[in-house]
Amino acid sequence: MKTDSCAPLASVIDLLLDAICVVDAQGNFVYVSAACKRIFGYTPEEMLGKRMIEMVLPEDRARTMAAAGAVMADQPLLHFENRYVRKDGSVAHIMWSACWSADRKLRIGVARDITQRKQSEAMQAALYSISEAAHGAKDLAALYQQIHLTIAQLLPVDDFIVAIRDLASGELTYPYQALALDSRAPPAEPVTSLCFSVLHGRQPLRFSADSLAALTLPLQAADSAWWLGVPLSSSEGVIGVLLLKSVAAPYTEKDQELLQFVSTQVVTAIERRQLYARLHRMAQYDELTGLPNRACFRDRLETALARVRRNGGRIALLYVDLDRFKQVNDTYGHSGGDQLLRAVADRLTHCVRDTDTVARLGGDEFVVLLENIAEPEDASHVVEKIRGAFTQPMLIAEQSLAIGLSIGTAIYPEDGDAEAQLLKQADDRMYLMKARGGQSLDCE
């Protein structure tokens, strides 16, 4: 229905792609053009008499009312942007130009639908944000959180789960669960079943309470929501799953397409961070034993020395060398030698506290950093504990071998206050013990 004053132009106005809206001083629509059906989803008849502000997204209502007040104060408005809720519940981004007709007490506005442009801009911003996070995030946990925040700008997200397939076992792990109180705990149903379905189907899936019931999955009241899962597909296959949960609104096919598109960038970001993590570990840890390597040990020793210089206390270094390791290598080959080194690393690690460090410097040389010891005798006790652990033979290449150790000890501050001094003192004492037949030499 249209007012008589607007009727002569109606046939022309209805041809426009932009919508023409006329609102009275009370904020009610008194005329709308045919384009409103395409933009807002309501027919002109449904919009007439409706309060304009009721169609505005709640988050945008305050500034929309402020803009309307400015127009009614005879300040023409150009290119004002806000968001409306369409009849189907989706959000439309609108750019307005409006003016005030003082004699008729009417606001006349032209509405242009810029939803597609806004979505494209948001998509580009999301891809840039994910790419930037792949380079800047300090670790994978930080990367997953940034991906969560980025996707939440594009889609309704009340929960966000990242599932990654373990390369060795093929099982899914869950390194990021937005709502989990303990990220180490496995997620509750239906999360695991939904992730499994997406992983093995290799296709995106949308779930509702009805489809969950059809899958005979356990459903709690809190799970009466909508879910969207997409596989994380790389050139190596499916490496994991992104799973989103929405409480208020169902996911649409467009949402699914958007998340699929973003997921390709997510895969690239995850693989890049995984590569960085592997390279970092290779630079800091011994590949054979998994122990910290020389570089990592030096960093930890430097940090420990700085701490005791500042706060007081003692630290100890134990320089450990295997007796007659070459003989084992010659007899059982390099595989036997490698097996021995891994077994030695395991026994040494079980002889110290979690706060201490066992490192492999190279070859058959190991070093133990004992932090926060009260007296020099504490280091002697650890040495005896290590020797006791190695009284039991080791099964190497299906042979039971008795392995001897030469251990040299240095204490801070008694044996020096610098890294090089302590290492040299422990190394010298270890070689002296090796010359004496592999008996430990404690600090003197």
Side-chain angles (χ1 to χ4, degrees):
M1 209 177 155
K2 303 175 175 65
T3 63
D4 292 339
S5 60
C6 295
L9 294 176
S11 59
V12 176
I13 291 174
D14 284 347
L15 296 176
L16 298 177
L17 296 178
D18 294 340
I20 307 299
C21 300
V22 180
V23 178
D24 63 20
Q26 289 71 47
N28 302 311
F29 289 109
V30 297
Y31 169 80
V32 295
S33 67
C36 284
K37 177 69 167 66
R38 177 181 57 82
I39 295 175
F40 300 108
Y42 294 96
T43 64
E45 289 74 17
E46 289 173 319
M47 289 181 65
L48 291 178
K50 194 177 184 69
R51 282 181 55 79
M52 174 272 297
I53 199 64
E54 293 176 355
M55 293 176 59
V56 176
L57 194 72
E59 293 88 338
D60 291 356
R61 288 179 181 176
R63 62 187 188 88
T64 298
M65 290 300 294
V71 172
M72 294 173 70
D74 207 18
Q75 299 176 25
L77 185 69
L78 296 176
H79 309 309
F80 173 77
E81 295 182 9
N82 64 357
R83 293 168 293 176
Y84 276 64
V85 180
R86 293 189 176 108
K87 186 176 181 179
D88 64 4
S90 61
V91 174
H93 292 261
I94 307 297
M95 183 170 67
W96 289 94
S97 293
C99 64
W100 175 247
S101 175
D103 56 340
R104 298 189 180 185
K105 304 299 181 185
L106 296 173
R107 292 201 313 270
I108 303 169
V110 179
R112 173 165 295 181
D113 186 354
I114 58 171
T115 304
Q116 189 170 359
R117 191 195 83 191
K118 284 292 186 180
Q119 289 175 342
S120 296
E121 290 174 354
M123 178 71 74
Q124 290 300 318
L127 296 180
Y128 177 79
S129 175
I130 292 171
S131 177
E132 191 176 51
H135 292 281
K138 64 180 181 179
D139 52 31
L140 281 169
L143 173 63
Y144 296 141
Q145 184 176 37
Q146 184 58 47
I147 291 171
H148 171 199
L149 296 175
T150 300
I151 291 178
Q153 299 297 313
L154 303 174
L155 299 172
V157 178
D158 292 294
D159 197 5
F160 185 89
I161 297 101
V162 178
I164 299 296
R165 185 173 63 87
D166 183 82
L167 293 178
S169 67
E171 297 295 322
L172 282 175
T173 61
Y174 299 86
Y176 186 84
Q177 304 173 59
L179 297 185
L181 297 177
D182 183 359
S183 61
R184 296 167 298 180
E189 290 289 5
V191 170
T192 53
S193 294
L194 296 183
C195 287
F196 181 86
S197 297
V198 174
L199 178 73
H200 290 275
R202 298 174 178 265
Q203 295 292 329
L205 294 172
R206 283 178 285 151
F207 301 93
S208 64
D210 291 339
S211 58
L212 291 180
L215 291 172
T216 66
L217 294 178
L219 182 65
Q220 300 174 357
D223 293 323
S224 299
W226 292 270
W227 299 83
L228 172 60
V230 298
L232 296 173
S233 302
S234 74
S235 58
E236 304 299 322
V238 179
I239 67 168
V241 174
L242 286 184
L243 184 67
L244 279 58
K245 177 182 180 180
S246 170
V247 173
Y251 290 111
T252 66
E253 186 174 347
K254 285 187 177 180
D255 293 336
Q256 179 178 306
E257 292 172 356
L258 187 150
L259 188 60
Q260 274 186 279
F261 182 74
V262 172
S263 71
T264 60
Q265 190 76 4
V266 171
V267 169
T268 301
I270 290 174
E271 289 185 324
R272 184 177 290 123
R273 285 309 316 177
Q274 287 176 332
L275 175 60
Y276 288 165
R278 286 196 297 270
L279 292 175
H280 177 74
R281 182 167 182 83
M282 288 171 62
Q284 295 287 310
Y285 289 85
D286 174 53
E287 185 176 0
L288 176 64
T289 63
L291 296 177
N293 61 14
R294 183 183 296 270
C296 182
F297 171 74
R298 289 292 181 92
D299 289 343
R300 293 191 184 183
L301 177 56
E302 184 179 340
T303 300
L305 284 171
R307 188 159 44 241
V308 294
R309 288 171 188 146
R310 183 174 61 250
N311 302 328
R314 288 184 173 86
I315 63 173
L317 291 184
L318 310 182
Y319 215 111
V320 181
D321 187 88
L322 303 187
D323 297 333
R324 294 174 292 279
F325 175 69
K326 184 177 183 301
Q327 181 179 337
V328 174
N329 249 352
D330 292 343
T331 304
Y332 301 103
H334 290 298
S335 61
D338 289 349
Q339 187 180 351
L340 173 59
L341 291 172
R342 286 191 290 266
V344 169
D346 183 64
R347 287 201 185 183
L348 287 175
T349 302
H350 282 85
C351 290
V352 300
R353 302 163 297 181
D354 291 340
T355 54
D356 299 325
T357 296
V358 178
R360 182 189 177 205
L361 301 186
D364 61 336
E365 294 183 347
F366 296 83
V367 65
V368 180
L369 170 61
L370 304 176
E371 298 196 47
N372 299 320
I373 64 171
E375 301 295 338
E377 290 76 14
D378 294 337
S380 300
H381 295 327
V382 175
V383 170
E384 292 308 313
K385 184 176 181 180
I386 292 172
R387 288 201 168 279
F390 280 83
T391 58
Q392 298 298 320
M394 291 183 173
L395 186 64
I396 306 297
E398 300 183 354
Q399 300 294 320
S400 181
L401 302 180
I403 302 301
L405 302 174
S406 295
I407 305 175
T409 307
I411 307 291
Y412 170 93
E414 284 82 349
D415 293 319
D417 63 356
E419 175 187 331
Q421 285 178 293
L422 294 170
L423 282 169
K424 185 177 186 308
Q425 185 73 280
D427 190 32
D428 289 346
R429 287 174 172 166
M430 181 274 294
Y431 275 107
L432 182 56
M433 285 304 93
K434 186 175 286 289
R436 293 181 179 179
Q439 297 300 313
S440 65
L441 177 68
D442 296 334
C443 57
E444 297 174 346

